[in-house]
Amino acid sequence: MIKKIGVLTSGGDAPGMNAAIRGIVITGIKLGIEIFGIKDGFLGLYKNKIKKLNRIIVSDIINKGGTFLGSSRFPEFKEKKNRYIAVKNLKKKNIDSLIVIGGDGSYIGAQKLNEMGISCISIPSTIDNDVSGTDYTIGYYTALETIVKSIDKIRDTSASHKRISLVEIMGRNCGDLTLLSSIAGGCEFLVIPENKISKEQLLIEILKKIKNGKKHYIIVITENLYDIKSLAKYIEKKTNKETRATILGHVQRGGTPVVYDRVLASRMGSYAIEILKKGFSGRCIGIKNEKIVHNSIKKSLNCIKKNSTHYWLNLSKKLF
Ligand code: ADP
């Protein structure tokens, strides 16, 4: 019978993490389970920053971006000796279950703790939507809203000056944020990691559009594919059209979570408690066709995220 559960947020923060913590705390308390918040992800677990949470602490956080528990990158957690200290800190407080909210890096940490005797459940939360075992991660839709609003603003100035605007979008190795924002933002072209092209090929695409009489262009590009500032100089030189690069950066991570993320996070948080109570461990939660599901963390880590990239890519090409 589970009496105490720990919760932490790890890796890149995402809007909706707070709603997930709230869902965990309220559901847990109702079932007579004590919930402990761990500060700053795996670093706080290692440093023993563990504090009991209550209903009041999680009041007024559902609408807040970021994570009130704090997050961190703590690569030292890859070393078993450090994880051993973390397990000892949990055991000292008789906490033998842990909910890890984060991306696939955090999933690895959770799986390793699971193998060391802590029952772990992970909840997918990252703006990048790059976690397998789920159609959507908490934070993805909020980031999309932020990006599309930024593209709308860039469009105003781009149209006034008849410019080419290159917009760099987050996502690491996953093009989902770029794909959906290109559709919703009415962009003229996109480049994503799943469909990389050289700067010469990109230039050919832009020249085609210029030939078709278009006067200004917004091109969205996933981060790490080019040096976008020098790409803008290259395109300006070759097209003779003013070209500007905008790196949206960390604004994409922040802000009030949209309704979809708050609801998704609340569902996933509550479900994490439910499945721990049923005796499951080493599981990651997902949403598949609008249904909340759970899968093995180990299996999810070993499989490539099967998403609908091709569908969205085909659609975006029809709309350019
Ligand atoms: P995300 O969870 O957003 O993908 P990271 O990849 O930075 O972010 O991972 C978050 C944290 O998970 C890391 O800082 C580290 O503490 C932990 N982690 C990542 N990889 C491992 C690993 N191989 N073993 C143990 N812990 C890991």
Side-chain angles (χ1 to χ4, degrees):
M1 175 72 180
I2 289 181
K3 289 250 181 292
K4 295 182 178 188
I5 296 174
V7 56
L8 61 81
T9 47
S10 163
D13 64 309
M17 280 181 159
N18 284 326
I21 301 165
R22 177 183 178 273
I24 290 164
V25 172
I26 297 178
T27 306
I29 290 172
K30 285 204 171 136
L31 294 171
I33 299 167
E34 287 179 81
I35 308 292
F36 290 81
I38 294 130
K39 290 293 276 176
D40 306 333
F42 294 120
L43 175 67
L45 202 53
Y46 168 78
K47 288 196 168 172
N48 202 20
K49 290 196 204 161
I50 304 172
K51 193 178 137 191
K52 194 170 155 182
L53 300 177
N54 60 40
R55 180 68 184 81
I56 307 298
I57 295 174
V58 296
S59 292
D60 306 325
I61 63 166
I62 196 162
N63 56 335
K64 302 231 161 67
T67 159
F68 88 99
L69 282 178
S71 188
S72 65
R73 309 269 185 199
F74 181 49
E76 294 82 354
F77 207 62
K78 290 178 186 166
E79 292 170 45
K80 191 160 187 181
K81 65 176 196 310
N82 294 332
R83 293 198 302 276
Y84 182 71
I85 293 169
V87 170
K88 245 172 57 180
N89 289 336
L90 285 171
K91 294 253 158 144
K92 265 192 280 182
K93 290 194 160 58
N94 293 320
I95 302 169
D96 49 20
S97 303
L98 182 69
I99 301 171
V100 173
I101 305 169
D104 52 4
S106 306
Y107 274 34
I108 305 175
Q111 174 58 24
K112 292 197 171 165
L113 286 178
N114 200 67
E115 285 161 14
M116 292 167 80
I118 301 294
S119 300
C120 287
I121 301 291
S122 57
I123 293 182
S125 186
T126 159
I127 64 163
D128 299 335
N129 205 35
D130 60 349
V131 179
S132 60
T134 188
D135 291 340
Y136 302 112
T137 53
I138 298 166
Y140 172 59
Y141 269 104
T142 304
L144 276 176
E145 282 290 333
T146 307
I147 294 165
V148 172
K149 279 182 188 142
S150 307
I151 290 172
D152 290 347
K153 288 175 183 154
I154 290 169
R155 176 174 299 285
D156 291 344
T157 171
S158 184
S160 303
H161 287 265
K162 298 174 189 61
R163 273 186 198 133
I164 300 173
S165 298
L166 309 180
V167 185
E168 186 181 284
I169 289 172
M170 280 181 162
R172 294 204 282 194
N173 298 317
C174 177
D176 286 15
L177 280 173
T178 309
L179 264 175
L180 271 280
S181 54
S182 92
I183 292 167
C187 299
E188 276 65 41
F189 201 69
L190 62 75
V191 191
I192 55 171
E194 295 88 341
N195 193 33
K196 279 187 227 170
I197 56 169
S198 66
K199 64 175 187 180
E200 290 79 13
Q201 287 170 296
L202 177 58
L203 176 67
I204 292 170
E205 293 297 334
I206 294 171
L207 290 172
K208 272 192 224 161
K209 289 187 191 301
I210 293 176
K211 218 172 151 193
N212 290 341
K214 191 99 175 63
K215 295 279 182 283
H216 70 94
Y217 317 83
I218 298 180
I219 296 162
V220 280
I221 299 171
T222 312
E223 62 186 348
N224 304 325
L225 295 178
Y226 313 95
D227 172 347
I228 197 165
K229 294 251 156 95
S230 27
L231 180 66
K233 281 191 192 135
Y234 168 78
I235 291 178
E236 182 166 287
K237 197 168 154 215
K238 296 286 181 184
T239 59
N240 229 0
K241 273 186 83 66
E242 194 182 355
T243 305
R244 291 287 163 88
T246 306
I247 298 170
L248 292 185
H250 278 111
V251 292
Q252 297 165 90
R253 284 255 194 94
T256 302
V258 296
V259 171
Y260 185 84
D261 281 329
R262 296 185 201 193
V263 174
L264 180 65
S266 303
R267 288 175 82 184
M268 287 183 167
S270 189
Y271 190 68
I273 296 284
E274 240 177 75
I275 62 170
L276 268 175
K277 204 164 177 272
K278 284 185 183 156
F280 287 101
S281 67
R283 310 291 292 176
C284 54
I285 294 175
I287 182 156
K288 285 273 169 191
N289 303 318
E290 290 313 312
K291 216 174 155 289
I292 303 289
V293 295
H294 61 95
N295 304 289
S296 145
I297 301 179
K298 206 170 176 180
K299 274 196 195 147
S300 292
L301 283 169
N302 288 332
C303 74
I304 299 190
K305 182 174 163 62
K306 283 192 200 80
N307 63 14
S308 34
T309 305
H310 290 295
Y311 167 76
W312 294 119
L313 199 53
N314 283 335
L315 177 63
S316 65
K317 281 180 183 164
K318 283 181 203 156
L319 296 169
F320 286 148

